[in-house]
């Protein structure tokens, strides 16, 4: 029967942090309402919340008021808390029999070094659970009224990182350059010219649509519509420091453009 109140089923308790246990939590792309109920419960029940830069203040405000908040944010090639230090921090708090929520932007299992933190817990023989979150790609395509896959266009979608620990990440450029391919590129701004060059070198059509969604799901979200050929110009219009997802092979649906797009003067001509 329909009800206006939300009842969280009792099995949600399976992922509540218990003393000495770590819960990895995906915080979603930013909009608090995109948090899962499990994520909310984990935040409310944690003694310590260890969070990344991408987890916003309004999400953290939902944590237990007595919880200790620890920011271990990293930013692209910029200053970061060493991963070893983060691992040690998580282990130390769990060993102290605290309920630890390790919360990361988007989905905690995507470009979030989850394995390394789990390895550290395994080595210390400490238990953990994982609460998935909505990843930036899901939020970004929703903003432009598109789907990540479409029958007859793309039967698969790639989630790529622009760079890894060694620098710009290499990809299967030949496969990506085929018509109809769709890729969501995370951390793709610094690598954008490199990606553009590789794609064109492997035969991608320079007119392939590219859409950059900045601050997806947040009040300051912006959608920048461009093409593979014009990607470098589009980069100049981005807000410094804002998280941005590059959707390769997707343009907004028309209705979505009028509702959401902030077009730079440079680019609006292309759309005319
Ligand atoms: N675990 C995260 C990804 C972390 S990697 C997830 O699942 O979404 C960090 C990159 O994610 C950023 O450089 C950016 O490319 C992307 N990103 C994360 N949140 C975003 C947001 N709200 N809007 C746009 N891009 C975002």
């Amino acid at each position: 029967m329909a009800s206006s109140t939300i009842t969280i089923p009792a099995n949600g308790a399976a992922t509540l942090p218990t003393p000495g246990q770590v819960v990895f939590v995906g915080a979603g792309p930013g909009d608090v309402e995109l948090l899962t109920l499990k994520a909310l419960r984990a935040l409310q029940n944690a003694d310590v919340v260890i969070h990344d830069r991408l987890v916003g203040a309004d999400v953290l405000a939902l944590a237990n008021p007595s919880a200790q908040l620890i920011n271990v944010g990293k930013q692209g090639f910029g200053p970061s808390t060493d991963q070893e230090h983060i691992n040690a921090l998580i282990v130390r708090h769990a060993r102290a029999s605290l309920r630890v929520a390790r919360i990361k932007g988007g989905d905690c299992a995507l470009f979030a070094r989850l394995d390394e933190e789990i390895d550290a817990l395994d080595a210390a023989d400490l238990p953990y659970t994982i609460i998935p979150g909505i990843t930036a790609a899901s939020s970004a395509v929703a903003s432009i009224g598109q789907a990540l896959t479409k029958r007859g266009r793309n039967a698969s979608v790639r989630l790529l990182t622009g760079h890894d620990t060694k620098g710009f990440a290499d990809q299967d450029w030949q496969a990506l350059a085929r018509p109809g391919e769709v890729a969501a590129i995370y951390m793709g701004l610094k690598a954008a010219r490199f990606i553009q060059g590789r794609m064109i070198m492997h035969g991608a059509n320079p007119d392939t649509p590219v859409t950059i969604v900045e601050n997806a799901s947040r009040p300051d979200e912006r959608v920048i519509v461009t093409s593979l050929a014009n990607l470098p110009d589009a980069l100049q219009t981005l807000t410094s420091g804002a998280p941005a997802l590059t959707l390769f092979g997707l343009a907004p649906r028309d209705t979505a453009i009028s509702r959401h797009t902030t077009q730079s003067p440079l680019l609006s001509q292309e759309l005319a």
Side-chain angles (χ1 to χ4, degrees), residues 3-69:
S3 157
S4 58
T5 54
I6 299 172
T7 310
I8 306 179
N11 67 2
T15 40
L16 279 186
T18 54
Q21 191 202 31
V22 176
V23 181
F24 291 101
V25 182
D31 181 347
V32 183
E33 291 190 70
L34 293 178
L35 264 186
T36 63
L37 296 177
K38 275 186 195 281
L40 175 61
R41 272 233 277 230
L43 280 173
Q44 289 171 339
N45 284 279
D47 300 308
V48 185
V49 177
I50 302 176
H51 67 93
D52 286 350
R53 181 184 69 93
L54 285 174
V55 181
D58 39 2
V59 169
L60 295 172
L62 298 171
N64 189 322
S66 62
Q68 184 193 356
L69 302 183

Side-chain angles (χ1 to χ4, degrees), residues 29-30 53-54 104-112 134-137 185-188 213-218 243-246:
R53 181 184 69 93
L54 285 174
K104 299 160 183 270
D107 182 20
C108 54
L110 193 66
F111 304 130
I134 294 178
T135 190
I185 307 173
Y186 291 72
M187 296 175 278
V213 183
E214 203 180 77
N215 287 312
S217 89
R218 300 175 181 177
L245 190 89
T246 307

